[in-house]
Amino acid sequence: MSIWNYCLQKSIFASIAIGNYTSTFVLFKSRYNLKIMKKILVSLVSQQRIPNFLFIKDKEFQDIDEYLFLTTEYAEKNQFTEHILEATGLEENVVHKIKIVPDDIPEIHKQLKYKLQDFGFSKDDQFSINITGGTKIMALAVYDYFVHKGFNCKVFYLAFPKTSYKQIYPIGDNFPLSHSLNLKEYLACYGLQTTLENNHPSKMFHSPEKLNKLNHKELKRILNAFSEKEKQNTSIEKYYFKNGWFEEYIYNIIKKELNLNDSELGLNVKLTQAPSNVTNEFDVMFLYKFKLHVIECKTGLTIKGGQKNGLLTSSLYKLKALKDDFGLFIKGYLMTKADLRDFKKKEPKPIWKGHQLRADSLNVTLADKEDVKTPEKLKAFIKKHIS
């Protein structure tokens, strides 16, 4: 809130210096019905909530007095606005919502007219309008109403996942996004509570890189060398017997190759979503260029008991379920030490068509032992499919 507005609200003295003279005025808001000009940020709510979060956190909008969310019945049913409020920490007393019909421009105009009056807003208030979310008709209707009804407004649009947004009315500059989105914030925007395990490397007898060089017999020899007592150690069990070393191998190279900081990626990420409070764990998860990437890491794909490639199917559908629960910009990967190549083909052998078609249908990228067998091979995979 500006100093001038603060003075009006508090009915205190304001001094204005003109040349060598100072005129002092006593401002009584109630007596003279002086209008305080509010700064209002308008957001259109839809399934993709990250642009709304980024605008609220952007340095250009840190002097906002009140927030107006234009939402729909579908968005309310799925608590999209509530997730944004929880992620941003906005207080309820500065938040207003209008539930609108998303495909009826005259009705949207009507709802805006009466609700804005109910909230005590006027055309003289300063409206910053983010039309990135919502439906196309919602965006057109909101733009048309505020611009052509003579509101004091600026309209902005973010072509997400680009890193800058544009002022489209009045036509203005591009502004770089100032807030560095972290993994927990991204997930909070979708109503997910996040638990991250320690992201620092395990201090074990063998590094992930060393274990990755070993063949199956050599690795088995190391595992068999542990006593029963040592196997009961939680850290040893997880690292050596439950994929831990392979997860760290993938994690370490991803972090270094993409130059990610600790807030942008996680190892063994546990996600809990209300109201079910069911927790799911994912091996490696990271943000890169505002996109969420999720990796399932498997040293082998045979389910205990003998079902060949059973873990391939379950991992693919686990990633698919996660993608369905999130927003639009998500990429899933299954990385494995197993051989998924078609041995009937000539070198370089492609991944077997059946595996590839299933993964493609679920928008998941496969990396098998040929892609992960050396750090250089994995870096080449990252460069091709991620960076």
Side-chain angles (χ1 to χ4, degrees):
M1 182 179 293
S2 68
I3 295 175
W4 181 255
N5 281 341
Y6 180 82
C7 293
L8 289 173
Q9 190 177 44
K10 298 299 182 180
S11 297
I12 63 176
F13 291 92
S15 298
I16 302 176
I18 306 175
N20 295 325
Y21 300 93
T22 299
S23 300
T24 303
F25 301 92
V26 181
L27 306 176
F28 293 100
K29 176 186 172 187
S30 58
R31 179 175 177 181
Y32 295 105
N33 196 27
L34 295 174
K35 169 67 179 173
I36 298 176
M37 186 173 61
K38 300 175 183 176
K39 293 185 177 180
I40 302 151
L41 178 61
V42 181
S43 302
L44 279 62
V45 179
S46 57
Q47 186 175 13
Q48 180 53 278
R49 282 147 271 183
I50 301 302
N52 289 328
F53 176 89
L54 292 171
F55 269 84
I56 292 169
K57 289 291 188 179
D58 196 84
K59 67 179 182 180
E60 297 294 329
F61 306 107
Q62 293 311 295
D63 60 348
I64 295 297
D65 298 311
E66 300 186 40
Y67 299 82
L68 175 60
F69 292 89
L70 305 182
T71 181
T72 64
E73 184 175 350
Y74 177 78
E76 287 301 285
K77 180 181 178 181
N78 290 279
Q79 299 184 306
F80 293 166
T81 309
E82 283 67 24
H83 296 159
I84 296 170
L85 298 181
E86 291 171 4
T88 55
L90 293 181
E91 297 180 2
E92 291 184 5
N93 63 335
V94 296
V95 172
H96 306 276
K97 289 195 297 184
I98 303 177
K99 188 169 74 173
I100 61 179
V101 179
D103 57 356
D104 189 333
I105 291 179
E107 183 62 25
I108 293 173
H109 286 185
K110 180 180 177 181
Q111 290 171 309
L112 285 171
K113 177 182 177 180
Y114 291 110
K115 286 294 184 180
L116 292 177
Q117 291 175 357
D118 290 344
F119 298 147
F121 298 157
S122 78
K123 292 182 178 180
D124 296 325
D125 291 326
Q126 293 184 15
F127 290 88
S128 296
I129 304 169
N130 168 22
I131 62 168
T132 307
T135 64
K136 290 183 174 64
I137 290 180
M138 283 172 62
L140 289 170
V142 171
Y143 180 97
D144 180 66
Y145 186 82
F146 280 94
V147 170
H148 296 127
K149 295 292 183 180
F151 280 79
N152 177 20
C153 68
K154 293 180 181 179
V155 184
F156 302 91
Y157 180 77
L158 168 63
F160 192 73
K162 289 187 176 179
T163 57
S164 64
Y165 58 94
K166 188 173 183 61
Q167 181 178 315
I168 60 174
Y169 179 84
I171 295 176
D173 297 328
N174 285 324
F175 298 88
L177 288 164
S178 65
H179 184 75
S180 297
L181 183 69
N182 64 48
L183 183 60
K184 279 195 170 185
E185 289 174 334
Y186 184 105
L187 297 168
C189 286
Y190 294 91
L192 290 160
Q193 298 177 354
T194 310
T195 303
L196 301 178
E197 288 199 0
N198 192 338
N199 285 345
H200 299 293
S202 300
K203 295 181 180 179
M204 290 294 168
F205 310 111
H206 309 85
S207 70
E209 291 74 20
K210 183 176 181 178
L211 291 175
N212 192 62
K213 292 178 181 178
L214 304 178
N215 61 36
H216 179 71
K217 288 184 179 180
E218 292 169 331
L219 181 60
K220 191 173 182 178
R221 191 178 302 121
I222 288 177
L223 300 183
N224 289 337
F226 285 103
S227 67
E228 289 302 318
K229 183 177 180 180
E230 288 174 321
K231 291 178 183 179
Q232 292 174 10
N233 180 291
T234 304
S235 298
I236 290 177
E237 181 189 27
K238 176 174 175 50
Y239 185 79
Y240 285 97
F241 295 90
K242 292 188 175 180
N243 284 331
W245 68 266
F246 186 55
E247 293 164 4
E248 288 194 22
Y249 172 75
I250 301 296
Y251 172 93
N252 292 339
I253 294 175
I254 289 278
K255 182 177 182 181
K256 185 175 181 180
E257 187 67 12
L258 298 179
N259 193 29
L260 300 175
N261 62 51
D262 286 342
S263 72
E264 294 171 315
L265 81 168
L267 180 67
N268 304 131
V269 181
K270 294 182 176 67
L271 303 180
T272 305
Q273 189 171 35
S276 65
N277 290 326
V278 174
T279 298
N280 290 294
E281 182 175 319
F282 296 88
D283 297 333
V284 179
M285 189 176 287
F286 63 95
L287 281 178
Y288 185 66
K289 296 181 179 178
F290 292 122
K291 291 184 181 180
L292 181 65
H293 301 258
V294 185
I295 304 175
E296 281 292 282
C297 306
K298 304 296 178 187
T299 53
L301 294 175
T302 300
I303 292 178
K304 193 172 183 180
Q307 185 180 347
K308 189 177 181 181
N309 293 324
L311 286 177
L312 173 68
T313 301
S314 63
S315 297
L316 289 176
Y317 280 99
K318 182 180 179 182
L319 290 167
K320 173 67 163 55
L322 179 65
K323 287 152 60 72
D324 289 343
D325 290 339
F326 277 7
L328 303 175
F329 297 97
I330 298 169
K331 183 61 181 172
Y333 308 84
L334 173 59
M335 297 189 178
T336 178
K337 291 277 289 178
D339 187 354
L340 299 178
R341 304 287 158 159
D342 188 343
F343 66 92
K344 295 181 180 179
K345 300 291 185 180
K346 295 181 179 180
E347 297 289 347
K349 297 182 185 300
I351 288 179
W352 185 63
K353 187 176 180 180
H355 297 328
Q356 193 64 65
L357 287 174
R358 180 178 294 179
D360 289 345
S361 70
L362 301 174
N363 196 27
V364 175
T365 301
L366 296 175
D368 76 340
K369 76 172 189 177
E370 183 64 27
D371 299 305
V372 304
K373 67 181 180 180
T374 66
E376 291 69 31
K377 286 274 190 179
L378 182 53
K379 289 176 183 177
F381 177 90
I382 293 168
K383 185 174 182 180
K384 178 180 179 180
H385 294 282
I386 301 175
S387 61

